[in-house]
């Protein structure tokens, strides 16, 4: 059972920032938020994770609200290769609970 | 560093037949996971191993599914007999150590099973 809620689909213009929202209102204080993406016919690919502070790596930035009930994944300059399904996941104990994700389409 | 390897990539069988999938995790990863992903859904955990022991198999349909990781390295997932609703992608993932709260899972490419 997914612990997160995401919009089913989004579009983004190539070169612009893609902002993918996620609600996780029942998250507990020590549970991490993870983001993965899945390109068609491939396994999920790790993007980033965080607890309470904002995080940035070479792929994306993760912004977590102060109350930790929601977060936003930011792809700063979307390319056509970023078209994929993006999963926001709360790790509960040993398990990742995947929802149905957001299908992001980057438009030329 | 080599990623998670899975084989075969595709398999087509008829219902009531048996099938097996193989996974080789990233070297040194103690934890191995098998997921089932039905079309249009996110992956669902079937079973989790820590070395050669089962940590969680609560969502594994044990009447037809079985999995083993005898030497704590590679793993096999078996379905016997298969049903139409078993058509899905079977994903294997591995991580260094599941007890760490920031333990990241790395996924293989998956095996797409079609049951006719």
């Amino acid at each position: 059972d997914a612990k997160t809620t995401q919009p089913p689909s989004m579009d983004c213009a190539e070169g612009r920032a893609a902002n993918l929202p996620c609600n996780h209102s029942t998250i507990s204080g020590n549970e991490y938020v993870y983001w993965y993406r899945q390109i068609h016919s491939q396994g999920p690919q790790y993007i980033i994770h965080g607890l309470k502070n904002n995080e940035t790596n070479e792929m994306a930035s993760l912004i977590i609200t102060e109350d930790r009930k929601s977060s936003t994944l930011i792809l700063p300059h979307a390319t056509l290769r970023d078209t994929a399904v993006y999963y926001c996941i709360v790790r509960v104990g040993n398990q990742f609970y995947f929802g149905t994700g957001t299908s992001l389409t980057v438009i030329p | 560093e080599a990623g998670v390897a899975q084989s075969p990539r595709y398999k087509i069988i008829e219902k009531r037949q048996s099938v097996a999938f193989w996974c080789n995790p990233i070297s040194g990863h103690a934890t191995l996971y098998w997921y089932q992903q039905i079309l249009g859904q996110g992956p669902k955990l079937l079973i989790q191993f820590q070395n050669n022991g089962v940590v969680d198999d609560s969502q594994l349909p044990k009447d037809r599914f079985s999995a083993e990781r005898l030497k704590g390295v590679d793993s096999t997932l078996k379905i016997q007999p298969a049903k139409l609703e078993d058509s899905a992608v079977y994903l294997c993932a591995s991580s260094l150590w599941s007890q760490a709260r920031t333990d990241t899972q790395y996924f293989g490419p998956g095996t797409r099973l079609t049951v006719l």
Side-chain angles (χ1 to χ4, degrees), chain B:
Chain B
E1 177 183 87
V4 176
Q6 290 188 247
S7 68
R9 290 296 313 277
Y10 304 92
K11 190 73 176 179
I12 301 174
I13 61 173
E14 297 193 348
K15 60 183 179 184
R16 291 187 288 273
Q17 287 187 321
S18 61
V19 64
F21 314 125
W22 176 81
C23 172
N24 194 30
I26 293 172
S27 177
H29 279 195
T31 309
L32 185 147
Y33 311 79
W34 283 103
Y35 287 84
Q36 180 193 58
Q37 186 173 24
I38 293 172
L39 186 65
Q41 299 181 16
K44 182 186 82 170
L45 180 69
L46 292 175
I47 189 167
Q48 177 185 346
F49 291 94
Q50 183 78 9
N51 296 310
N52 61 352
V54 175
V55 174
D56 185 346
D57 63 356
S58 58
Q59 299 189 82
L60 186 74
K62 299 181 186 64
D63 57 334
R64 298 183 300 106
F65 286 64
S66 64
E68 60 183 17
R69 193 186 184 199
L70 294 175
K71 297 182 179 179
V73 181
D74 59 344
S75 175
T76 301
L77 176 69
K78 296 180 182 177
I79 308 175
Q80 182 179 9
K83 293 185 175 181
L84 297 177
E85 58 261 36
D86 298 331
S87 293
V89 175
Y90 291 85
L91 294 160
C92 179
S94 70
S95 66
L96 273 172
W97 181 50
S98 68
Q99 295 303 312
R101 287 187 290 124
T102 62
D103 198 33
T104 298
Q105 295 183 25
Y106 297 92
F107 286 79
T111 297
R112 181 177 298 277
L113 174 67
T114 302
V115 182
L116 303 176

Side-chain angles (χ1 to χ4, degrees), chain A residues 2-107:
Chain A
K3 310 296 182 183
T4 61
T5 304
Q6 300 175 254
S9 63
M10 293 181 63
D11 292 339
C12 177
E14 187 178 17
R16 303 296 293 269
N19 297 282
L20 291 90
C22 178
N23 287 321
H24 30 80
S25 58
T26 61
I27 194 169
S28 296
N30 62 351
E31 292 172 347
Y32 280 74
V33 178
Y34 282 74
W35 284 82
Y36 280 73
R37 73 180 182 184
Q38 189 170 26
I39 297 170
H40 184 62
S41 296
Q42 298 182 22
Q45 176 192 22
Y46 167 76
I47 300 173
I48 199 167
H49 72 278
L51 182 62
K52 56 179 76 173
N53 298 319
N54 298 337
E55 302 288 344
T56 295
N57 63 19
E58 64 278 6
M59 290 183 68
S61 294
L62 174 60
I63 308 298
I64 302 174
T65 58
E66 193 169 340
D67 63 7
R68 302 212 327 119
K69 293 185 177 182
S70 65
S71 60
T72 301
L73 179 75
I74 301 172
L75 308 178
H77 306 286
T79 70
L80 298 180
R81 286 177 293 182
D82 292 323
T83 292
V85 176
Y86 287 77
Y87 294 100
C88 170
I89 302 157
V90 171
R91 184 171 185 236
V92 180
N94 294 326
Q95 290 199 21
F96 284 2
Y97 289 92
F98 286 81
T100 52
T102 295
S103 179
L104 175 69
T105 301
V106 180
I107 302 169

